Amino acid sequence: MSRTDATSYPKITPEVIASHGFKGDEYDRLLGILGREPTFLELGIFSVMWSEHCSYKSSRYWLRQLPTSGPKVIQGPGENAGVVDLGDGDCAVFKMESHNHPSFIEPYQGAATGVGGILRDVFTMGARPIANLNALRFGDPAHPKTRHLVSGVVAGIGGYGNCVGVPTVGGETNFDPGYNGNILVNAMCVGLARSDKIFYSAAKGVGLSVVYVGSKTGRDGIHGATMASAESDDSIEEKRPTVQVGDPFTEKLLIEACLELMASDAIIAIQDMGAAGLTSSTSEMADKGGVGIELDLDHVLFFFKQKTAYEMMLSESQERMLMILKPGSEAAGEAVFRKWGLDFAIIGKTTDTGRMIVKHKGKVEADLPVDKLANSAPLYQRPWVPTDPPKTILAEWVPAAASLTGTLEAMMSGPHLASRRWIYEQYDHMVMGQTIGRPGGDAAVVRLPGAKKAIAASCDVTPRYCLADPVMGTKQAVVETWRNLTAVGADPIAITDNMNFGNPERPEIMGQFVGSVEGMGEACRALGYPVVSGNVSLYNETNGKGIPPTPAIGGVGLVPDWTKTADIKLKYDGHLLILIGHEEGHLGQSLYQLHVTGKNEGAPPPVDLEDEIKAGNLVRALIREEKVSAVHDVSDGGLLVAVAEMALAGNRGAELFPYEGKLPPHAVWFGEDQGRYVLAAAPSTAEEIAERARLLGLAVRIIGRTGGDAIQLKGEAPLSLAQLRKGHAAWLPEYMSGKRNS
């Protein structure tokens, strides 16, 4: 069939080409593939498919170096989400994804549709979503936009997740001036499926129905993928129409309808219409299945009249799926979706041509080779320069605190360590009735219905570490999630990642990315903790100012018996507090250093992967043997902060014993040395725990005893929990109400 140009479209000019995001010789590359000038629709199609957001053209080369397989990996990167084996025919399906640019432009809808998109990635695979998490980065609290952005993003996450009925069980929220011009909203979802009922996106077979289900197509989100693949400037507000608008109630219906049809034998392939909408879903499904695909857009259901093929193919309207059904299953499929009040339309068929043909009103508006569309995006090995690791800061170079407990109170009453309760109380974390590890601890824990098993999940990264040393900082992010899972008694299985960076065309930014991949790979290989899914978000900068490198890591683990888990709460008086892990007093890049000097300088604390494995194995064993009453890993703020968090969680004080080593007191109590856990145990078992640690070559010290209503440290005035809690709990509500500005 011959191609016919749509005369109503603009003429293709250099300006039009540039506005579609083509750079350098990319348009010439397109002309070489087609052997002709593209139609306006074809230009748009290649624009989104070659965008950084869809093609990973700056990152694919490096991502291939990550470990992605393992004994429990069922599906690694390359599908909508990763899948890992939980035993007994159960599997976990999970992924993390970004919605940074839309959330900065329109915080409520940007964050809400980020939640909706990650949910679809999971249930597209045949899994019922059981847990949401999020990792949020905002700018300086004093920045005029920060409060508005926090309010909108949190409301969007809660508004969508709560309505869908999937619990939001964990996450993290950070404030840093580096995000003033570009916030980060990373959403993670974990689902549960049967291992023999996983659904994939390959459209295998010829003459099969291509079915559109879900919501109608609108004009929202057009060129959303292209927008997310470019730097921003002061005109960013003008990009508001590129932000999608979500409907969580439709999403809930879509989940139930898809899972119901999946329980039958009707679906050959299924794909979420996410970034690039119909364009990416059709081309990717056809390419994976080795077939062509022919679409008749006259059958697409849309909100507005006079919709063009360009709008329909590039719209990123939410709550839509594309399915390939088995012959004869169309009527049954339609009955399911109509029952749930959703649209169902056959919009095309698979062919043996290897081409994607798009027809509208009797005209062929696009005729493209599927393999070239899906696989011909440029693959760049961009110039990069490594980040020079800074020198280690000695503890004595950082000023000592006049009062250790006074400093503790001040740090925990500020933006970096204050309670995030104001945020997570806006999320329903108990819906579905399976959540046993709630927000505020090391990792969330969700039971598998009708089983003793549970899934644990955590997400983490410390951007100030990554900015100083991307290799070590990312290595730390991986092991931090590994420790968080360990601290609740879970066996860490695998990770998903969200690689958030600035403009990769700048060698120093590309160097951060390369270093981050190196650190992630090293940690994952050592821990047996592979990468099974993820997302790359580049060009996170405004007016040439990039964000700190932020490789967010989402970890998933298995709890064999949910009755044998741990949390951070101090539960009993008279239990001893045991510190496992080496004490070296690292204050470089620490929150203490930032608090007393206003700067972050020096090298981040190093990670010893062998010690991490030994300590983690020991802690998990102690939890399952029920020898410990509380567990918490030591991270931001150091040892004194970890103890204080345990005390506040259990509403029980602690007397801390004097340190008798050579380190300065402020380094002992606020140093952010890695690989450490604080355990609470009965006196009768404390020495056994210490001896088991020593036999493994791990440092161990009994640091205190639980009891009372204060944090007590020799030579310091007791810090009552009531006083500590007042400041810790107040900062965020007061900030959001306008009572304070920083």
Side-chain angles (χ1 to χ4, degrees):
M1 186 176 293
S2 63
R3 177 181 58 91
T4 303
D5 290 326
T7 57
S8 60
Y9 291 133
K11 184 180 179 181
I12 296 177
T13 63
E15 292 75 22
V16 169
I17 294 167
S19 71
H20 280 72
F22 289 92
K23 297 182 178 181
D25 64 352
E26 290 180 350
Y27 185 69
D28 291 336
R29 181 187 183 98
L30 172 56
L31 293 177
I33 290 171
L34 295 182
R36 57 173 171 81
E37 186 177 88
T39 67
F40 188 73
L41 174 59
E42 291 170 340
L43 183 75
I45 286 173
F46 270 94
S47 166
V48 294
M49 292 302 292
W50 285 10
S51 69
E52 191 73 56
H53 190 79
C54 289
S55 74
Y56 289 14
K57 57 190 177 186
S58 299
S59 59
R60 291 201 315 273
Y61 173 82
W62 298 102
L63 295 175
R64 291 168 181 167
Q65 301 180 25
L66 292 171
T68 59
S69 60
K72 293 186 180 296
V73 177
I74 296 173
Q75 175 64 53
E79 276 289 341
N80 288 289
V83 186
V84 295
D85 185 19
L86 300 177
D88 308 311
D90 297 315
C91 62
V93 180
F94 63 100
K95 187 182 181 184
M96 183 186 288
E97 199 160 77
S98 62
H99 235 223
N100 305 333
H101 295 75
S103 298
F104 188 58
I105 298 168
E106 213 311 301
Y108 184 97
Q109 291 296 350
T113 52
V115 174
I118 200 64
L119 285 167
R120 289 192 297 280
D121 281 338
V122 167
F123 75 76
T124 299
M125 301 289 293
R128 178 172 290 281
I130 63 169
N132 287 331
L133 300 90
N134 52 77
L136 312 177
R137 319 281 166 187
F138 298 104
D140 188 339
H143 191 276
K145 284 189 175 181
T146 299
R147 186 182 289 108
H148 163 71
L149 292 168
V150 173
S151 177
V153 166
V154 171
I157 292 170
Y160 203 101
N162 296 352
C163 291
V164 170
V166 178
T168 300
V169 297
E172 57 173 344
T173 303
N174 297 146
F175 297 89
D176 186 280
Y179 303 100
N180 282 350
N182 205 120
I183 65 172
L184 301 184
V185 175
N186 296 168
M188 178 176 171
C189 181
V190 183
L192 181 64
R194 298 294 292 173
S195 302
D196 59 353
K197 293 291 286 184
I198 300 297
F199 288 81
Y200 299 97
S201 57
K204 295 180 180 179
V206 174
L208 304 175
S209 297
V210 179
V211 179
Y212 171 123
V213 299
S215 188
K216 290 180 173 63
T217 296
R219 292 193 172 101
D220 55 321
I222 294 174
H223 273 296
T226 307
M227 176 272 295
S229 307
E231 301 179 41
S232 299
D233 54 30
D234 293 333
S235 67
I236 191 168
E237 295 292 333
E238 298 173 8
K239 297 179 180 179
R240 193 175 299 273
T242 63
V243 178
Q244 310 92 331
V245 178
D247 179 355
F249 299 104
T250 299
E251 182 95 342
K252 172 64 175 173
L253 299 174
L254 189 60
I255 292 173
E256 299 303 330
C258 285
L259 293 178
E260 181 175 333
L261 191 59
M262 287 169 169
S264 71
D265 196 33
I267 300 175
I268 292 175
I270 183 169
Q271 175 79 16
D272 162 40
M273 283 192 238
L278 261 174
T279 290
S280 62
S281 55
T282 52
S283 60
E284 290 171 4
M285 293 176 82
D287 179 64
K288 289 178 180 178
V291 298
I293 199 160
E294 186 172 303
L295 299 178
D296 186 346
L297 300 186
D298 292 353
H299 299 292
V300 172
L301 303 161
F302 49 88
F303 287 115
F304 307 103
K305 294 181 179 179
Q306 298 179 337
K307 198 168 192 64
T308 66
Y310 186 96
E311 291 172 323
M312 282 187 278
M313 289 300 295
L314 271 64
S315 168
E316 296 180 12
S317 294
Q318 300 291 285
E319 296 86 38
R320 302 180 301 158
M321 309 288 277
L322 201 67
M323 300 188 304
I324 308 296
L325 297 185
K326 291 184 177 178
S329 300
E330 294 87 351
E334 182 170 8
V336 169
F337 281 88
R338 297 295 185 197
K339 183 184 80 172
W340 288 100
L342 297 169
D343 289 323
F344 178 102
I346 298 172
I347 66 168
K349 62 182 180 181
T350 59
T351 69
D352 61 0
T353 65
R355 301 189 72 81
M356 184 172 86
I357 296 174
V358 181
K359 295 188 286 187
H360 186 221
K361 296 181 179 180
K363 295 180 178 180
V364 175
E365 297 213 19
D367 185 349
L368 301 168
V370 166
D371 60 338
K372 297 295 185 183
L373 181 56
N375 302 307
S376 67
L379 176 59
Y380 295 125
Q381 293 187 48
R382 298 192 183 279
W384 63 278
V385 294
T387 303
D388 291 331
K391 294 181 179 179
T392 299
I393 295 284
L394 299 180
E396 52 265 31
W397 297 354
V398 183
S403 165
L404 295 171
T405 54
T407 300
L408 171 68
E409 182 182 7
M411 288 174 61
M412 293 193 67
S413 302
H416 303 295
L417 294 173
S419 170
R420 292 339 190 208
R421 182 179 292 274
W422 182 91
I423 292 174
Y424 63 72
E425 281 191 342
Q426 297 186 49
Y427 308 149
D428 190 339
H429 51 268
M430 293 303 295
V431 65
M432 302 178 93
Q434 304 298 322
T435 307
I436 57 174
R438 303 184 182 187
D442 284 314
V445 182
V446 180
R447 294 182 298 191
L448 273 63
K452 293 190 76 173
K453 297 180 294 189
I455 293 174
S458 173
C459 53
D460 215 290
V461 64
T462 308
R464 62 184 185 275
Y465 292 177
C466 297
L467 181 61
D469 184 343
V471 178
M472 189 61 70
T474 309
K475 194 184 301 184
Q476 188 276 337
V478 172
V479 297
E480 175 67 18
T481 66
W482 198 84
R483 285 197 298 268
N484 287 340
L485 297 173
T486 293
V488 299
D491 293 315
I493 298 176
I495 70 166
T496 182
D497 63 68
N498 207 142
M499 305 288 279
N500 307 275
F501 292 79
N503 185 345
E505 297 167 49
R506 292 198 281 142
E508 67 275 16
I509 300 298
M510 198 65 219
Q512 293 174 345
F513 184 89
V514 173
S516 187
V517 170
E518 179 187 338
M520 188 187 307
E522 183 180 343
C524 289
R525 280 186 284 270
L527 299 171
Y529 195 36
V531 184
V532 298
S533 61
N535 173 245
V536 176
S537 176
L538 304 178
Y539 297 95
N540 289 287
E541 56 183 76
T542 299
N543 295 325
K545 177 70 173 175
I547 61 163
T550 310
I553 306 296
V556 169
L558 174 66
V559 178
D561 182 350
W562 67 263
T563 66
K564 296 178 180 180
T565 57
D567 59 33
I568 73 172
K569 299 176 183 176
L570 298 181
K571 301 174 185 65
Y572 307 104
D573 290 341
H575 275 209
L576 294 177
L577 297 176
I578 307 157
L579 174 66
I580 291 178
H582 292 282
E583 295 181 271
E584 298 178 356
H586 284 281
L587 290 174
Q589 301 298 326
S590 68
L591 288 182
Y592 175 85
Q593 181 195 50
L594 180 63
H595 177 74
V596 298
T597 70
K599 300 177 183 178
N600 278 131
E601 295 177 328
V607 171
D608 186 321
L609 292 169
E610 289 186 8
D611 275 3
E612 292 280 0
I613 293 168
K614 290 189 288 186
N617 291 344
L618 174 61
V619 169
R620 286 192 298 277
L622 293 170
I623 292 171
R624 292 168 191 177
E625 295 167 18
E626 300 182 286
K627 293 185 180 290
V628 290
S629 59
V631 180
H632 192 18
D633 84 307
V634 181
S635 55
D636 275 349
L639 177 57
L640 195 54
V641 169
V643 172
E645 289 172 341
M646 297 173 80
L648 288 174
N651 199 30
R652 196 173 307 275
E655 175 193 2
L656 298 174
F657 303 153
Y659 169 76
E660 297 179 351
K662 297 180 180 180
L663 294 171
H666 65 292
V668 171
W669 295 109
F670 295 109
E672 296 182 5
D673 310 332
Q674 297 296 294
R676 298 189 295 167
Y677 301 83
V678 177
L679 316 178
S684 58
T685 59
E687 189 50 46
E688 176 198 340
I689 293 170
E691 183 59 25
R692 288 170 68 171
R694 293 187 193 104
L695 288 172
L696 292 169
L698 295 168
V700 61
R701 178 166 70 93
I702 295 176
I703 63 169
R705 180 183 294 107
T706 63
D709 60 0
I711 305 292
Q712 302 181 64
L713 192 58
K714 188 175 180 179
E716 299 272 337
L719 175 59
S720 73
L721 294 186
Q723 183 177 343
L724 179 59
R725 189 184 310 279
K726 183 179 179 182
H728 182 61
W731 183 86
L732 191 52
E734 289 182 358
Y735 172 71
M736 294 307 299
S737 68
K739 292 181 179 179
R740 64 165 73 216
N741 290 318
S742 63

